[in-house]
């Protein structure tokens, strides 16, 4: 059994994380089922294309969370700006690469408003880096209820924003911003509550440069999984631009709904398994 910084003693983080997974999955399904009812076929392909593309990037960046989960160890240490330095190194690179990538695929996936979609994708990717680092540290030190809080708060805020904008007939670029913003907004808003659990409570088992290099080594694997699990609707739009809009919209809906729960469950449990295996070995 392991000491839980949130209080009490737990055998595993699976219970709070799986509970959060149920909430996250349910909210995602609500969003993905509401969208095709409200949007016409062309708007729906743009919506799903962005959703798929941004979650492709997020699923690839899970490499960050996995490596931080592995390397973060519970320890009483003086605050040394580890999180700030890590974010200052990773965020600009991720933001620039994502912006360029979204501009490149934009004509096939989003149609118009390319700069706004690219900016939204970049904001989402940069924000997720913050989520990944904070969640990774919380996982590494066993603060599973805080991990679950981050997961559920992110999903609830995104679900409320996206469904509200869809219902009021907001343009798709505004919906895209609503999809992207919670990734960075939630860790920022929750930081005052999480700060005492994180600051001075962990250490990394290697220098930051080595941890980031390990992230890079993991990235090809998480990116390959991301393409199969999260990115297929966007990939279909890129590779088959001549496909009739009605058929493309139907294909995107089927792919998105069929794969969403598996991706959510797998991603949620990886951090738990890494920490458990590290503790066991």
């Amino acid at each position: 059994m392991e000491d839980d910084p949130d209080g009490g003693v737990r055998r595993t983080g699976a219970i709070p994380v799986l509970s959060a997974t149920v909430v996250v999955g349910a909210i995602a399904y609500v969003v993905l089922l509401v969208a095709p009812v409200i949007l016409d076929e062309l708007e729906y392909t743009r919506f799903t294309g962005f959703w798929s593309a941004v979650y492709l990037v997020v699923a690839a960046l899970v490499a960050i969370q996995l490596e931080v989960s592995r390397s973060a160890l519970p320890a009483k240490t003086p605050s040394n700006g580890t999180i700030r330095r890590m974010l200052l190194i990773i965020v600009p690179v991720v933001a620039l690469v994502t912006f360029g990538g979204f501009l490149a695929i934009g004509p096939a996936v989003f149609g118009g408003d390319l700069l706004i979609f690219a900016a939204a994708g970049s904001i989402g990717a940069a924000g997720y880096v913050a989520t990944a680092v904070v969640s990774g540290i919380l996982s590494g030190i066993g603060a599973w209820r805080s991990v679950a809080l981050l997961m559920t708060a992110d999903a609830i805020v995104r679900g409320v924003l996206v469904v509200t904008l869809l219902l009021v007939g907001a343009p798709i670029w505004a919906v895209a911003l609503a999809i992207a913003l919670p990734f960075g907004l939630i860790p920022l808003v929750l930081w005052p509550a999480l700060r005492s659990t994180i600051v001075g409570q962990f250490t990394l088992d290697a220098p930051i440069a080595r941890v980031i290099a390990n992230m890079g080594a993991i990235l090809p694997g998480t990116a390959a999984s991301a393409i199969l699990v999260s990115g297929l609707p966007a990939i279909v739009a890129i590779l088959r631009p001549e496909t009739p809009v009605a058929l493309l919209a139907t294909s995107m809906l089927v792919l998105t709904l069929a794969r969403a729960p598996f991706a959510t469950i797998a991603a949620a449990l990886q951090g738990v398994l890494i920490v458990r295996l590290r503790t066991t070995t």
Side-chain angles (χ1 to χ4, degrees):
M1 299 174 76
E2 61 194 60
D3 188 37
D4 183 353
D6 287 335
V9 178
R10 296 188 183 278
R11 185 179 300 275
T12 176
I15 294 175
V17 171
L18 276 177
S19 300
T21 297
V22 173
V23 176
V24 172
I27 292 172
Y29 264 124
V30 169
V31 173
L32 296 174
L33 290 172
V34 166
V37 174
I38 295 175
L39 301 174
D40 62 33
E41 292 168 342
L42 179 58
E43 289 178 322
Y44 178 73
T45 60
R46 298 178 74 199
F47 166 83
T48 306
F50 181 83
W51 181 283
S52 172
V54 79
Y55 274 98
L56 187 158
V57 174
V58 164
L61 294 177
V62 165
I64 297 172
Q65 183 171 339
L66 296 180
E67 174 57 20
V68 174
S69 297
R70 186 207 63 77
S71 62
L73 303 171
K76 296 291 184 180
T77 58
S79 177
N80 57 10
T82 298
I83 296 177
R84 181 175 63 252
R85 285 183 288 140
M86 194 176 294
L87 293 179
L88 286 175
I89 295 169
I90 301 173
V91 166
V93 175
V94 168
L96 287 173
V97 171
T98 304
F99 187 82
F102 273 54
L103 281 181
I105 68 172
V109 180
F110 315 129
D113 303 313
L114 296 186
L115 287 176
I116 298 179
F117 278 105
S122 184
I123 290 169
Y128 181 73
V129 173
T131 294
V133 170
V134 172
S135 294
I137 293 170
L138 291 171
S139 297
I141 63 177
W144 300 115
R145 284 189 289 177
S146 295
V147 174
L149 174 62
L150 271 175
M151 292 172 61
T152 53
D154 175 269
I156 291 170
V157 171
R158 180 175 296 101
V160 170
L161 288 176
V162 171
V163 171
T164 300
L165 290 177
L166 288 173
L167 291 174
V168 300
I172 297 301
W173 61 261
V175 178
L177 286 171
I179 294 171
L181 285 173
F183 287 119
L185 180 64
I186 295 306
L188 181 64
V189 170
L190 292 181
W191 180 249
L194 299 175
R195 190 179 189 280
S196 61
T197 304
I198 295 175
V199 175
Q201 304 298 321
F202 78 97
T203 186
L204 299 180
D205 68 355
I208 287 180
R210 180 60 184 173
V211 172
I212 292 176
N214 290 343
M215 294 173 189
I218 300 170
L219 187 60
T222 55
S225 298
I227 292 172
L228 292 174
V229 175
S230 303
L232 277 182
I235 299 298
V236 169
I238 294 169
L239 297 180
R240 299 299 301 270
E242 76 283 359
T243 303
V245 172
L247 178 58
L248 184 60
T250 301
S251 300
M252 285 181 160
L253 177 61
V254 172
L255 288 170
T256 302
L257 294 181
R259 292 175 177 270
F262 301 106
T264 302
I265 293 171
L269 289 177
Q270 283 180 72
V272 177
L273 292 174
I274 284 176
V275 174
R276 292 297 299 167
L277 288 171
R278 183 192 68 191
T279 302
T280 301
T281 56

